[in-house]
Amino acid sequence: MKPLAPGDTIGILGGGQLGRMLSIAAAQLGFDVAIFTDEPDSPAARVSARTTIGNYLDHAALADFARRVDVVTTEFENVPAETAQALIDAGARVAPNPHALAVAQDRFDEKSYFASAGIATPPFRAIASQADLDAAIAEIGAPAILKTRRLGYDGRGQIRIKTEADANGAYEKLGAPGILEGFCAFEREVSIIAARGWDGAIAFYDLNENEHAGGILSRTTLPARVSAEVESHAQDAARRVLEAFDYVGVLTIEFFVMADGSLIANEMAPRVHNSGHWTIEGALTSQFGQHIRAVAGWPLGPTTRVAAIEMLNLIGDEANDWPALAADPDARVHLYGKRSARSGRKMGHVTKLR
């Protein structure tokens, strides 16, 4: 791919905080950004050159958008794969590609893909009825987690099954086709953030150690408390995924670290990721700048971490503490420009370099 030049336009599907930070990173490199979103007054739109508000399945609107941009990328993984394909059919270059999006959007397909690539996963079974769930519980056992196959995130669309009795009626409560995953008695959760360019070059960031509360990422710290061997295994897994998908852009894989140091893949995100927000101040190239570099056909930037890191999410009303956070000389505060706070909503984050 011929590299884009400053002044060219990068299209982003989605108007959330990740699109906002991508747009800011693109502007720093001289690009204009056009947002396509179904959300009026989105956080990304307010920092971008222009915005199209439309339906992600409106092929005519997508074709018009494709004519006005030089490459298209995504800021959230649930943009329909059909949308990406429609843009390609209209002549746009799209990264990541529709196949990567489609696999990441279905938890059963995602786990099946990991297994086919030799990447360890929890035991899992597809669930399309209560009978399927009963059979899977008999095979996998409890505790386990029942999840929707599609659209769940940040703890949504999940039912914890602590005992076999908890499975009674659980499929009806889920209300959609699902996947049952066996419980992993892990020591910690980590994520690997990697990037791949159109030329096949790959870059890795240091492994993130993550803590969740209520199914939502609350804290990320670096360096992760793992061995160099564990970090190498995470990189190997990410490399296999990137190359198998002919992937372009930033991709994240979340892992459980078991007591023996082995890694169990939880899920992947074909996009920049919450656990990588620390890279804005904490790495020589942020994950957002890296993603823009990748999709624009530029060389990937250095990923060197410059300090020990603590990154804290600001969830709901926590963002109202901005006066105190802004007064803390050690805090780097990022607020996402969302109009209202509500329980469980990511409103911003704070990074501290040690």
Side-chain angles (χ1 to χ4, degrees):
M1 169 182 166
K2 181 181 178 181
L4 301 188
D8 286 342
T9 300
I10 295 174
I12 298 177
L13 301 175
Q17 69 262 21
L18 299 180
R20 183 183 179 96
M21 289 182 274
L22 283 169
S23 185
I24 292 168
Q28 291 174 334
L29 295 177
F31 297 111
D32 286 343
V33 168
I35 299 294
F36 190 105
T37 178
D38 60 2
E39 176 189 0
D41 191 34
S42 68
R46 294 198 298 277
V47 300
S48 300
R50 63 178 185 269
T51 302
T52 298
I53 299 174
N55 189 298
Y56 289 116
L57 299 180
D58 183 340
H59 287 217
L62 292 170
D64 181 66
F65 186 71
R67 288 190 291 270
R68 297 170 181 268
V69 300
D70 297 290
V71 69
V72 180
T73 190
T74 59
E75 67 107 30
F76 72 111
E77 66 267 41
N78 287 321
V79 170
E82 177 185 337
T83 301
Q85 188 58 55
L87 287 163
I88 292 172
D89 293 343
R93 289 177 293 190
V94 178
N97 60 56
H99 180 49
L101 292 174
V103 171
Q105 288 167 5
D106 186 304
R107 287 190 172 101
F108 180 77
D109 290 347
E110 180 183 65
K111 290 292 193 303
S112 299
Y113 172 78
F114 284 149
S116 72
I119 299 170
T121 70
F124 65 95
R125 297 292 182 272
I127 306 298
S129 67
Q130 184 64 41
D132 286 345
L133 178 56
D134 293 341
I137 286 290
E139 184 177 358
I140 293 176
I145 302 177
L146 179 63
K147 303 177 180 180
T148 56
R149 285 182 62 155
R150 301 178 63 85
L151 298 179
Y153 64 98
D154 285 347
R156 298 174 178 89
Q158 300 185 16
I159 298 174
R160 294 185 180 275
I161 298 176
K162 297 179 181 179
T163 68
E164 292 187 8
D166 292 335
N168 295 332
Y171 181 75
E172 183 178 354
K173 293 178 183 176
L174 191 70
I179 176 174
L180 184 74
E181 298 179 8
F183 178 74
C184 290
F186 58 89
E187 286 197 334
R188 55 186 52 90
E189 297 180 43
V190 297
S191 58
I192 183 78
I193 295 175
R196 184 175 182 270
W198 290 99
D199 61 355
I202 293 175
F204 299 104
Y205 289 90
D206 287 356
L207 205 62
N208 311 298
E209 183 168 339
N210 304 319
E211 299 172 20
H212 291 75
I216 302 173
L217 179 67
S218 61
R219 181 172 182 259
T220 293
T221 55
L222 293 96
R225 293 172 295 169
V226 298
S227 67
E229 183 180 20
V230 168
E231 186 144 6
S232 177
H233 288 165
Q235 291 180 358
D236 289 344
R239 185 186 302 276
R240 273 179 272 169
V241 172
L242 290 166
E243 292 179 344
F245 281 128
D246 194 20
Y247 191 92
V248 173
V250 166
L251 175 138
T252 305
I253 304 178
E254 298 177 356
F255 296 97
F256 301 127
V257 182
M258 307 304 287
D260 63 359
S262 62
L263 292 174
I264 304 293
N266 180 29
E267 62 184 23
M268 67 179 179
R271 54 169 171 80
V272 289
H273 194 259
N274 192 173
S275 67
H277 291 354
W278 64 269
T279 61
I280 297 173
E281 289 88 12
L284 295 183
T285 307
S286 78
Q287 65 166 342
F288 302 99
Q290 193 77 288
H291 187 80
I292 295 298
R293 282 172 167 266
V295 302
W298 285 28
L300 298 180
T303 59
T304 305
R305 177 169 53 84
V306 301
I309 303 291
E310 180 184 39
M311 190 280 293
L312 302 169
N313 268 339
L314 301 176
I315 307 297
D317 291 340
E318 291 174 353
N320 294 336
D321 292 335
W322 64 264
L325 294 170
D328 182 349
D330 294 327
R332 303 295 180 265
V333 183
H334 297 260
L335 299 173
Y336 302 151
K338 296 180 179 180
R339 298 301 191 190
S340 61
R342 62 174 181 265
S343 177
R345 192 179 199 194
K346 295 173 181 174
M347 301 298 296
H349 71 271
V350 176
T351 301
K352 297 183 178 182
L353 280 59
R354 306 297 189 186

